């Protein structure tokens, strides 16, 4: 294998490992009363205050579901931000009219400020030399050394961390109304300028967990 290809492959493996290490922990719960069956049409509804956050989460979850062969639809295509359902019954009526049988509803259930200390860096270097010359006249000469260094002090940064929760509702009629909540998944998301990247990681974890628990095939 050519050396440049080997380097590229090594970098790709390293990037994958780092991405897995940086991914937030995803926790979930599954209803013990849920009986496995196929869902044919899934809608993803983001209940976020910021429109760009809602758009990012709906988009990434839809793309991940479609990538794995499921029919998925953005909630905003059914219920635009300007629309507010009068009640849960009104919302259910709209979703059933569109033939959805599984609803994934994501929202922020907790928010906290997180302070992180970033370690600074320091460097010290130099050289030293010692020579002692004994002349006949008793004259001695000493060569010492010198050192150089620089230091970059550490600093603190504050970020907003949201606990994002997604609930899965079975509205196919195969679960009792009081047992419609069949799955709940949570993960912490740090607010950033690249919300799409965070949403993409969350979407992969969410869909993988749904598959692992046999909520979807």
């Amino acid at each position: 294998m050519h050396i440049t290809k080997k380097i590229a492959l090594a970098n790709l493996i390293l990037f994958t490992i780092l991405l897995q290490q940086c991914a937030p922990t995803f926790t979930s719960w599954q209803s013990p009363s849920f009986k496995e069956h196929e869902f044919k049409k899934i809608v993803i509804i983001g209940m976020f205050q910021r429109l760009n956050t809602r758009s990012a989460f709906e988009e990434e979850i839809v793309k991940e579901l479609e990538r794995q062969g499921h029919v998925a639809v953005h909630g905003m295509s059914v219920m635009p931000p300007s629309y507010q359902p009068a009640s849960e019954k009104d919302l259910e009526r709209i979703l059933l009219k569109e033939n959805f049988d599984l609803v994934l509803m994501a929202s922020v259930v907790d928010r906290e400020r997180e302070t992180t200390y970033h370690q600074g860096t320091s460097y010290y270097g130099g050289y030293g030399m010692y020579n002692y010359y004994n002349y006949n006249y008793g004259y001695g000469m000493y060569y010492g050394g010198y050192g150089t260094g620089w230091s970059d002090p550490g600093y603190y940064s504050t970020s907003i961390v949201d606990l994002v929760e997604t609930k899965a509702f079975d509205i196919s009629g195969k679960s009792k109304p009081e047992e419609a909540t069949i799955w709940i998944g949570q993960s912490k998301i740090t607010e950033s300028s690249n919300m799409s990247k965070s949403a993409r990681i969350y979407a992969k974890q969410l869909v993988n967990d749904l598959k692992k628990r046999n909520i979807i095939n």
Side-chain angles (χ1 to χ4, degrees):
M1 184 183 293
H2 195 273
I3 185 63
T4 56
K5 290 184 178 180
K6 289 182 178 180
I7 294 173
L9 179 60
N11 289 336
L12 178 60
I13 294 172
L14 178 61
F15 175 77
T16 303
I17 294 173
L18 291 174
L19 183 62
Q20 292 173 344
Q21 292 176 340
C22 294
T25 302
F26 193 93
T27 58
S28 64
W29 166 89
Q30 180 180 351
S31 171
S33 62
F34 172 69
K35 294 180 175 58
E36 295 177 24
H37 61 86
E38 182 181 359
F39 292 104
K40 297 180 179 179
K41 194 175 182 182
I42 308 171
V43 61
I44 295 84
I45 303 175
M47 307 293 288
F48 301 97
Q49 292 182 347
R50 295 182 179 179
L51 185 59
N52 65 329
T53 303
R54 177 182 178 181
S55 177
F57 273 82
E58 289 188 5
E59 174 68 18
E60 294 301 332
I61 296 174
V62 165
K63 285 198 301 187
E64 186 62 24
L65 285 167
E66 289 181 337
R67 190 180 70 82
Q68 301 202 29
H70 297 278
V71 178
V73 177
H74 301 77
M76 282 196 290
S77 66
V78 182
M79 294 180 300
S82 58
Y83 176 77
Q84 295 294 331
S87 63
E88 289 186 9
K89 288 291 184 182
D90 185 34
L91 173 59
E92 186 177 356
R93 178 185 58 79
I94 294 170
L95 297 177
L96 289 175
K97 183 180 178 181
E98 297 291 333
N99 297 317
F100 295 114
D101 50 11
L102 180 63
V103 181
L104 297 178
M105 189 171 290
S107 63
V108 174
V109 295
D110 192 24
R111 170 169 289 185
E112 61 184 18
R113 290 183 178 272
E114 188 175 87
T115 301
T116 304
Y117 176 73
H118 303 269
Q119 181 68 45
T121 55
S122 300
Y123 171 77
Y124 295 96
Y127 71 88
M129 181 173 65
Y130 178 82
N131 274 323
Y132 192 85
Y133 294 89
N134 286 312
Y135 290 91
N136 292 332
Y137 302 100
Y139 180 79
M141 183 178 294
Y142 169 78
Y143 292 90
Y146 73 87
T148 61
W150 54 264
S151 177
D152 180 19
Y155 66 94
Y156 290 91
S157 66
T158 302
S159 56
I160 302 297
V161 179
D162 290 331
L163 179 61
V164 178
E165 178 181 273
T166 300
K167 291 183 177 181
F169 300 96
D170 180 2
I171 60 172
S172 67
K174 296 180 181 180
S175 294
K176 297 178 182 179
E178 63 271 19
E179 298 173 347
T181 305
I182 59 174
W183 176 90
I184 300 174
Q186 292 183 340
S187 182
K188 289 185 176 182
I189 302 294
T190 302
E191 282 196 352
S192 67
S193 57
N194 191 353
M195 188 54 69
S196 292
K197 180 180 179 180
S198 298
R200 190 175 308 121
I201 294 172
Y202 182 86
K204 289 182 179 295
Q205 292 178 314
L206 181 149
V207 174
N208 286 339
D209 196 86
L210 287 172
K211 289 176 68 68
K212 183 178 70 174
R213 291 183 174 275
N214 294 319
I215 301 296
I216 60 176
N217 299 321

